[in-house]
Amino acid sequence: MSAPPFLGRRAALLLSLSAATTVAACAGSGSTALSPADQADVARVESYLNGLSTFSAGFSQVWPDGGVGEGILTYSPGDLKLDYTYPRGLSMKAANGHLVLRDDRNGSVTHMGLSHNPLGLLLAAPIRLSGPITVTSVLRGPEFLQVSLARTAMPSDGLLTLQFRDHGGALALQGLRLVDDRRRTTTFRIQG
């Protein structure tokens, strides 16, 4: 598996997780009218996320530049950690409004805030999918549920989409898609 030079992936990761301009899917007044079925599904997602004490699974990732990564994702409300097996030596920790990216291969450590970042939407504890967070869309299909989120005050900061398997009413996280302010997309597929 070939990948672009690490600097390109690292820059793409940071840029895809950083803040700023209009995301088409978020454009609008900052409020989205949800049907009763949508509201029920949003409540289920909120309950699922807040009910996790710790969730750990393998993941694969595609950066905006097409670079790939994989490793172990560990999530609990308010805390997200990615330990990469490829590229080896890379790790990311997001909690308390900050993200820290470490590259053990060259000793670099990068810090950034999450207040204007779509990833920050997933890191409140407890998670409330209302008020400061606007649910921009709810899509459902056979055994599938997808919920997209933006900051109510600054929808142009980006969009976070959570994808779930919905089997018999039980949700299981399958993926995340982050769209930054420049419409660059980073996707995570949860394995298992």
Side-chain angles (χ1 to χ4, degrees), residues 11 22 32 35 44 57-58 83 89 104 136 147 153 158 161 171 181 192:
T22 302
T32 302
S35 72
R44 289 174 56 221
D83 288 309
D104 292 341
T136 62
V147 177
T161 300
L171 297 177
D181 62 310

Side-chain angles (χ1 to χ4, degrees), residues 69-84:
E70 57 187 37
I72 302 295
L73 175 147
T74 305
Y75 172 82
S76 58
D79 190 271
L80 175 70
K81 185 169 184 189
L82 302 175
D83 288 309
Y84 289 84

Side-chain angles (χ1 to χ4, degrees), residues 31-44 135-140 145:
S31 65
T32 302
L34 298 176
S35 72
D38 292 346
Q39 291 174 14
D41 282 334
V42 168
R44 289 174 56 221
V135 176
T136 62
S137 72
V138 177
L139 299 174
R140 65 185 68 75
L145 178 63

Side-chain angles (χ1 to χ4, degrees), residues 55-61 69-74 82-83 85 173-174 188-192:
F55 171 83
S56 187
F59 75 92
S60 59
Q61 176 180 351
E70 57 187 37
I72 302 295
L73 175 147
T74 305
L82 302 175
D83 288 309
T85 55
L173 186 63
Q174 282 189 310
F188 296 87
R189 290 316 260 140
I190 308 300
Q191 301 163 355

